Amino acid sequence: MKNDRRLRRLVVDDTTWYWTVRQRVKPAYEDCRLTLSLYPEGDPEGNRRRLALTFRPDSDRIISNCYFLSGTVLRLPDHSCLNLYEPGTVRRLLDAAAPTLDLFASEQVIEVDGWQYFDAVVDAVTAA
């Protein structure tokens, strides 16, 4: 069985990003969450920033909570879905979240709701 907790590597232009997906499963589904964390390769002084896109279930949004659909987030009205283990998906989400990184340039950890970027990515793919 493969290790879904390993750090993966993504190179964007001249920056190397490391990313991982963590799933928190709780007894109550509404308390579960799926988090995509992205880390740019640290500077020479060892500073390491983290961007965490957190997906929580809602009335019209579902996160996977089983091994078979691991890493999947789904918007119910149109049944659009993304798999957070796919590098192409991570790249599109990173591109959509780039302005957020600039807004919080001095923050070490930036945790945001991932659904806003899900909408931007899926809507852009649908429009193209």
Side-chain angles (χ1 to χ4, degrees):
M1 179 175 359
K2 69 180 185 177
N3 180 0
D4 285 332
R5 291 182 163 227
R6 73 176 189 265
L7 273 176
R8 292 165 171 84
R9 187 171 171 260
L10 179 70
V11 178
V12 178
D13 298 325
D14 60 347
T15 304
T16 300
W17 290 84
Y18 295 98
W19 56 281
T20 187
V21 177
R22 303 281 186 205
Q23 184 172 359
R24 176 184 260 173
V25 178
K26 297 285 188 172
Y29 177 67
E30 59 273 3
D31 295 331
C32 297
R33 70 174 154 254
L34 199 57
T35 303
L36 169 64
S37 294
L38 296 129
Y39 310 86
E41 195 164 60
D43 63 18
E45 297 166 4
N47 294 329
R48 188 156 167 179
R49 296 180 69 199
R50 178 171 68 102
L51 171 64
L53 304 179
T54 303
F55 296 87
R56 291 180 174 86
D58 199 357
S59 61
D60 62 346
R61 299 182 186 262
I62 295 174
I63 63 170
S64 65
N65 63 349
C66 65
Y67 183 76
F68 182 72
L69 297 173
S70 182
T72 301
V73 290
L74 173 77
R75 183 172 64 188
L76 281 180
D78 59 355
H79 297 279
S80 295
C81 67
L82 294 175
N83 187 321
L84 302 180
Y85 285 110
E86 294 179 3
T89 298
V90 173
R91 170 65 193 265
R92 290 190 301 273
L93 287 168
L94 177 59
D95 288 345
T100 302
L101 287 170
D102 295 336
L103 287 175
F104 300 100
S106 63
E107 304 265 338
Q108 282 297 108
V109 177
I110 304 164
E111 185 170 348
V112 294
D113 179 19
W115 289 112
Q116 63 185 323
Y117 304 110
F118 174 98
D119 293 338
V121 167
V122 169
D123 294 343
V125 169
T126 304

